[in-house]
Every structure is written in C-alpha cells, then in structure tokens.
Amino acid sequence: MAEFECERRVDADASTVFRTAADRSSLDRWLPGTVRVHPAEPPGVDVDVAGSTGEPGLLRERRDQLRLEWGRRGSPDYSGWLQVASAEGGTSYATLHLSFLGDDPRNHGGEPAEEVDRQLRESLDRLAALVES
C-alpha cells in the first residue's frame, strides 16, 4: 500500500474552501490529475481514475466534517480524501490524501510516486486559486 498526503494553507475560511472544493461543477478543475468526475444517474457522480478498468466510482461529502472522500465502488485499490480545517486569522488548511493498494507502480516509489506527490501539490494550488480568486 502507498499513502500520499499534502497540506496547503489557503487564504480563506474553512467553510469557503470546502464549499468550493465540493462544488461538483468545479471538481475537475482542482482534483488530482488521476481523477476525473462527471455526472451520473441516479444522483451522484462517477469518478474515473487513470489506469482503471472502467469501474464506477463514488464521491461522498461529509459537510459536517468539511471532508470529501472518493474511490472505486466495491474495490479498495484506490481512494482519496480532502480534509479542510480552520486556522488562525480566517485562513484554513486543506489536506489532500491518496491511497493505492495492490501492485500499483506508485507503491514502489521512484518516478510514479514522485508524480503523485507533484499532482497533490498542484491540486491544492488549483483549489487555492479557485477559492482565492
């Protein structure tokens, strides 16, 4: 199993950051490069993960916890979450986490793992830009 995590301070209160992050019309603008979200029926979204075999995904909002969680339905080989927390002075921290199980090349370090770290940083930068604009 490989776990990747990155945290970034955002110049906005936690509820504003979470509201922006959870807005389904802008999820594709900030989520990591391996994740694409599109509408699904019945109500909800499908989450496509690069390299997946087309399994449907899920997205769960825990508004009371300022947390988003996503992954593949019925398969624990990939999951992710975003947690937003309040900080001093009306700012907040956004923490983005991805987990990969099985024989995924990201589990073995090197360039694939470095790519995930880069995607996490860029995702949080894009989220901050959306919030702060």
Side-chain angles (χ1 to χ4, degrees):
M1 175 198 275
E3 304 278 335
F4 299 90
E5 192 167 292
C6 186
E7 181 179 78
R8 186 188 196 287
R9 187 179 191 124
V10 182
D11 290 330
D13 65 86
S15 62
T16 299
V17 174
F18 181 79
R19 191 171 43 255
T20 302
D23 180 353
R24 292 182 180 188
S25 68
S26 65
L27 286 168
D28 281 341
R29 294 174 58 196
W30 74 267
L31 277 169
T34 57
V35 180
R36 295 288 173 251
V37 178
H38 50 89
E41 296 298 329
V45 296
D46 280 341
V47 180
D48 299 325
V49 180
S52 73
T53 57
E55 307 98 50
L58 61 90
L59 176 72
R60 181 179 312 145
E61 294 177 29
R62 297 181 185 265
R63 290 192 178 273
D64 59 327
Q65 298 174 15
L66 301 179
R67 184 177 177 94
L68 289 176
E69 299 171 345
W70 60 89
R72 293 189 182 123
R73 285 189 189 119
S75 176
D77 61 338
Y78 169 81
S79 63
W81 52 260
L82 173 79
Q83 180 71 56
V84 183
S86 295
E88 66 280 348
T91 64
S92 59
Y93 284 100
T95 303
L96 185 56
H97 182 97
L98 296 178
S99 299
F100 300 92
L101 295 174
D103 197 27
D104 191 296
R106 292 166 279 219
N107 291 340
H108 306 291
E111 284 184 39
E114 291 170 11
E115 175 67 13
V116 174
D117 286 331
R118 183 189 63 75
Q119 288 178 354
L120 289 175
R121 287 189 308 275
E122 290 176 356
S123 294
L124 289 175
D125 288 346
R126 288 192 305 267
L127 176 58
L130 282 171
V131 171
E132 295 168 0
S133 62

